[in-house]
Amino acid sequence: MSEISVLIIGAGNIANEHLKSLSSIKKINIYSILSRTQKKADQLARSYKIKNKIKSYSDLPNHMNKIDLIMILVNPDQILNVFNKIKI
């Protein structure tokens, strides 16, 4: 099985908890993180050695060919809003 590249959307506590687990799985590559709060995204990127940071939803199409899975890890009341911003 080849590596699975993951985009994390969100940089709060739930994203951190998922990243703890994901970072221990050898076949998972945390490709990038995207958050409305850049400072939090930067902190998580440093903590989990995430090389790419996508700064806006308009940049997503440039990365989609490298992403296998998108995890929307935001407050439940914001999931639909975030989903609607993703242009695949």
Side-chain angles (χ1 to χ4, degrees):
M1 177 189 259
S2 61
E3 203 171 67
I4 298 170
S5 290
V6 179
L7 164 63
I8 301 293
I9 298 179
N13 292 333
I14 193 66
N16 186 52
E17 291 301 315
H18 277 79
L19 284 165
K20 284 179 189 176
S21 296
L22 292 169
S23 64
S24 68
I25 302 170
K26 291 180 183 178
K27 295 288 184 178
I28 297 287
N29 168 40
I30 307 301
Y31 172 77
S32 189
I33 188 165
L34 167 64
S35 176
R36 66 182 177 168
T37 311
Q38 196 59 48
K39 184 177 179 181
K40 287 183 178 181
D42 291 342
Q43 290 171 337
L44 285 179
R46 276 192 304 280
S47 295
Y48 293 98
K49 298 177 182 156
I50 302 170
K51 294 179 183 176
N52 300 296
K53 291 175 279 181
I54 300 174
K55 299 205 187 260
S56 73
Y57 291 96
S58 62
D59 292 337
L60 270 179
N62 299 325
H63 298 271
M64 291 308 293
N65 63 333
K66 298 173 185 141
I67 298 169
D68 299 310
L69 173 69
I70 298 173
M71 296 182 73
I72 302 174
L73 304 173
V74 299
N75 288 329
D77 64 335
Q78 292 300 310
I79 292 173
L80 183 59
N81 183 39
V82 169
F83 180 79
N84 287 331
K85 291 180 181 181
I86 299 171
K87 306 284 190 223
I88 300 177

